[in-house]
Amino acid sequence: MSSKISLVSCLIVLAFGVVLANGSRENGGLGIYEIKSGDFSVKVTNYGARIVSVVLPDKHGKLADIVLGYDTIKEYMNDSSYFGAIVGRVANRIGGAKFTLNGTTYKLDANEGSNMLHGGKKGFSQVPWKVLNHRKTGRSPSITLTYHSVNGEEGFPGDVVASVTYALLKPYKLSVKMKAKALNKATPVNLAQHSYWNLGGHNSGDILSDELQIFASHITTVDDHLIPTGKIVPVKNTPYDFRKPLVIKGPIKQLPNGSIGFDINYAVDGHDGLKMKPVAVVYNKKSGRVMKLSANAPGVQLYTGNFVNTTGKGGFAYKTHAALCLETQGFPDSVNHPNFPSVIVAPGKAYEHCMMFTFSTKK
Ligand SMILES: *[C@@H]1O[C@H](CO)[C@@H](O)[C@H](O)[C@H]1NC(C)=O
Ligand SMILES: *[C@@H]1O[C@H](CO)[C@@H](O)[C@H](O)[C@H]1NC(C)=O
Ligand SMILES: *[C@@H]1O[C@H](CO)[C@@H](O)[C@H](O)[C@H]1NC(C)=O
Ligand SMILES: *[C@@H]1O[C@H](CO)[C@@H](O)[C@H](O)[C@H]1NC(C)=O
């Protein structure tokens, strides 16, 4: 597998816009921004560059919001589930919260026992991002946000400037483009979009009856603390095999630890470091909604909301398995496994991670 994550079709958004007129602001500099195309709309906050809502019709034309989240930015500041966030500088877990690069060992800020999860205590998800450009409607509604992570932040080497562009493409396509540059030192960069999807609606209960297909023949196995062992093993004859569409509650019951759920990285088939590849398809029978995801990243973390237990939008109680996450990314703990595709970005090299969500319905 190539370590190069780049994509020619990732376009650079150069336009700089004035956002004050568009965004509704609260908390001094933090706001919620909408992008909208017909009856398809997405709201984003610059707090953690988070997707706040995704609204679109079901098979009867009835609109629903299909991501978990909160009503106010204050609640996002209190969030421990990473609802809708861009996580970084390095998504997923880093074993022992340390790594060695070119002879220097970097001690990171551990935030999950002795390990690091999703970039540390604040990471990229609990900080304000800057809104660079926002076009609410029109031919290509989009919003671009950026964040400058300084040398030594959470223990990582060098300055990194990251950006994400959310754009709506008709009909019912949501594009997510994450970019980053190392300004002065080589550093690991592995961003992930951490939306919690429930195609039946954020307040419709659990996702166990959804049908899931993942275009991956291998997973990276983990130890008891969910840290990769370094092994890449076939899914064949295991409960992780979603190569053909399966209702989630079948295999979830066969997991070694009962029905706690999935929290595992898949190695996406055919990944070449360049092109967009099919990653997964989710189908919710009741609403008829289908979500197809493709991306140019080597891995995808399947997380079935195993630890969700919070009060969300409209006071609704989100419980275990209330949603699922498909977080495309580099492999977890790559910095400590030379056999995994490298996530090191050297100064002058571009990191580009693109996702395309295509929504449709079937009767
Ligand atoms: C923050 O979380 C704590 C503990 O879960 C809770 O008691 C408090 O009400 C939350 N605050 C907000 C603003 O949601
Ligand atoms: C590691 O050090 C070598 C020699 O100084 C240098 O050529 C190389 O670019 C460095 N690699 C990284 C990832 O910094
Ligand atoms: C199951 O859970 C227990 C307790 O958390 C843990 O010790 C054990 O390693 C787990 N087994 C597997 C196969 O995940
Ligand atoms: C969920 O959170 C509530 C309130 O904090 C707590 O009482 C309850 O035990 C939690 N449930 C689980 C399954 O952790």
Side-chain angles (χ1 to χ4, degrees):
M1 254 171 290
S2 162
S3 65
K4 207 173 120 218
I5 299 182
S6 69
L7 186 73
V8 251
S9 73
C10 261
L11 27 112
I12 301 163
V13 176
L14 286 166
F16 288 73
V18 179
V19 296
L20 287 167
N22 284 325
S24 71
R25 287 181 171 250
E26 49 174 292
N27 288 316
L30 293 176
I32 292 177
Y33 302 83
E34 187 177 35
I35 50 178
K36 192 169 166 51
S37 175
D39 59 1
F40 183 30
S41 66
V42 171
K43 282 183 183 163
V44 169
T45 172
N46 59 321
Y47 185 72
R50 292 168 184 248
I51 290 180
V52 169
S53 68
V54 175
V55 174
L56 78 181
D58 69 5
K59 63 183 172 187
H60 304 299
K62 191 166 171 275
L63 298 181
D65 177 359
I66 59 164
V67 292
L68 270 51
Y70 304 102
D71 289 325
T72 63
I73 293 173
K74 261 204 183 107
E75 289 163 284
Y76 280 100
M77 290 173 149
N78 213 11
D79 164 58
S80 56
S81 305
Y82 304 90
F83 282 166
I86 296 295
V87 295
R89 183 180 300 197
V90 176
N92 218 307
R93 294 178 174 86
I94 295 181
K98 64 178 185 218
F99 68 97
T100 301
L101 180 58
N102 246 6
T104 305
T105 297
Y106 295 94
K107 187 83 200 83
L108 308 170
D109 297 339
N111 63 325
E112 193 188 57
S114 58
N115 306 313
M116 173 180 264
L117 175 63
H118 292 331
K121 197 157 178 261
K122 282 177 174 260
F124 287 13
S125 50
Q126 298 286 359
V127 293
W129 290 50
K130 201 166 139 188
V131 179
L132 263 195
N133 185 276
H134 177 213
R135 265 168 289 155
K136 184 173 174 179
T137 54
R139 234 161 48 94
S140 49
S142 70
I143 183 165
T144 299
L145 307 105
T146 70
Y147 177 63
H148 185 150
S149 170
V150 297
N151 180 35
E153 196 168 301
E154 315 273 25
F156 288 107
D159 290 60
V160 166
V161 172
S163 74
V164 58
T165 298
Y166 297 109
L168 300 187
L169 316 171
K170 277 189 267 187
Y172 306 115
K173 278 175 186 268
L174 167 63
S175 150
V176 181
K177 293 180 179 177
M178 293 162 259
K179 297 179 168 214
K181 263 189 193 161
L183 298 191
N184 34 50
K185 287 185 191 169
T187 179
V189 175
N190 184 18
L191 306 181
Q193 214 301 323
H194 208 310
S195 282
Y196 283 68
W197 303 97
N198 185 327
L199 298 184
H202 76 99
N203 55 358
S204 68
D206 68 59
I207 47 78
L208 296 178
S209 301
D210 285 4
E211 203 177 83
L212 174 66
Q213 181 174 22
I214 301 179
F215 300 94
S217 309
H218 296 81
I219 54 164
T220 54
T221 59
V222 290
D223 67 14
D224 295 348
H225 301 286
L226 299 172
I227 304 302
T229 58
K231 289 198 190 112
I232 303 172
V233 306
V235 294
K236 198 178 174 187
N237 299 324
T238 75
Y240 302 100
D241 190 351
F242 282 97
R243 288 174 299 168
K244 296 211 174 100
L246 275 183
V247 172
I248 295 168
K249 75 179 148 209
I252 218 171
K253 286 205 188 104
Q254 298 152 30
L255 287 174
N257 268 349
S259 60
I260 296 166
F262 293 96
D263 195 357
I264 193 81
N265 173 64
Y266 286 80
V268 176
D269 286 342
H271 170 72
D272 65 359
L274 279 170
K275 293 194 202 81
M276 298 293 275
K277 294 284 169 189
V279 174
V281 182
V282 189
Y283 169 50
N284 177 268
K285 202 171 173 195
K286 206 167 164 202
S287 68
R289 287 193 188 89
V290 180
M291 179 174 88
K292 286 186 187 163
L293 169 62
S294 55
N296 67 338
V300 60
Q301 185 85 10
L302 168 65
Y303 175 56
T304 47
N306 313 337
F307 306 112
V308 170
N309 182 24
T310 190
T311 303
K313 295 174 206 172
F316 191 81
Y318 298 142
K319 297 264 171 27
T320 312
H321 306 145
L324 62 82
C325 304
L326 287 162
E327 310 151 51
T328 57
Q329 56 188 267
F331 291 2
D333 203 24
S334 288
V335 285
N336 292 310
H337 300 284
N339 60 319
F340 287 1
S342 171
V343 296
I344 303 301
V345 176
K349 290 267 155 58
Y351 164 93
E352 291 176 336
H353 174 185
C354 302
M355 307 173 86
M356 182 66 78
F357 294 94
T358 304
F359 299 97
S360 59
T361 56
K362 59 182 186 188
K363 303 252 167 168

